[in-house]
Amino acid sequence: MSMATLYQMSENGSKAEQWKVGEKPVVVGRNGRVQVSIEDEGVSRRHFIISRDGEDYVIKDLNSRNGTWVEGRRVSAEKLRHNDCIQAGRTLFLFSERSAQSATSGKGPHGTVIVPTSMKLECRPAESIVWQEDAGSQEIEAAA
């Protein structure tokens, strides 16, 4: 069975960090006792989990305060697809079911790997998400 990769995206759109997702579920949150610990006040201590369901990968929100967003939609549980953009708090992730090496289209001169333009994509915050400050707490809500 193949493994997937979860990338944390930096503000300039590059892949900042990565974690392999395999047979064992991966919990993402702000707590140090999760597999992927994120420093973002908008992320709950245990925010979401990615796990296998047969050949598929599924993301489940763990009752986070600000919700888990996939491709701009707030989700409670959803099958993930290659290149799905995930947002938790102010942090963006990219889910990839293919390794960069297996998705390449060959090698150029001097062993340079040729990366297809379909792999060069942007993961942006959902436009329907706005930050609101309410009584001293920050919470994400869908714009009306």
Side-chain angles (χ1 to χ4, degrees):
M1 248 182 221
S2 64
M3 293 185 82
T5 306
L6 182 67
Y7 296 97
Q8 181 181 354
M9 306 302 288
S10 66
E11 288 185 22
N12 69 5
S14 65
K15 296 173 183 171
E17 291 189 58
Q18 69 179 33
W19 300 271
K20 295 294 181 191
V21 183
E23 291 303 311
K24 292 185 179 180
V26 173
V27 177
V28 176
R30 200 169 23 92
N31 185 328
R33 290 182 278 186
V34 294
Q35 288 78 15
V36 176
S37 184
I38 303 298
E39 291 183 33
D40 176 343
E41 292 176 351
V43 172
S44 295
R45 286 177 288 191
R46 290 177 43 88
H47 200 99
F48 67 83
I49 186 169
I50 298 176
S51 59
R52 291 298 294 249
D53 183 13
E55 292 293 317
D56 298 325
Y57 290 91
V58 176
I59 187 169
K60 292 180 184 173
D61 183 77
L62 298 174
N63 297 317
S64 65
R65 179 174 181 114
N66 292 320
T68 299
W69 301 74
V70 176
E71 293 299 318
R73 294 179 336 274
R74 190 171 185 160
V75 300
S76 57
E78 173 125 347
K79 176 185 167 189
L80 288 171
R81 291 163 184 71
H82 179 64
N83 283 341
D84 269 351
C85 185
I86 301 164
Q87 184 169 353
R90 292 185 173 120
T91 304
L92 293 176
F93 300 92
L94 179 69
F95 175 79
S96 175
E97 284 192 86
R98 301 180 196 129
S99 70
Q101 194 169 8
S102 67
T104 58
S105 62
K107 291 193 175 190
H110 312 290
T112 304
V113 173
I114 300 169
V115 179
T117 55
S118 63
M119 286 184 62
K120 299 173 186 173
L121 58 95
E122 293 184 38
C123 190
R124 296 178 180 238
E127 292 179 22
S128 63
I129 300 173
V130 292
W131 276 92
Q132 289 189 346
E133 296 209 24
D134 180 35
S137 67
Q138 291 183 331
E139 186 170 337
I140 296 176
E141 292 187 2

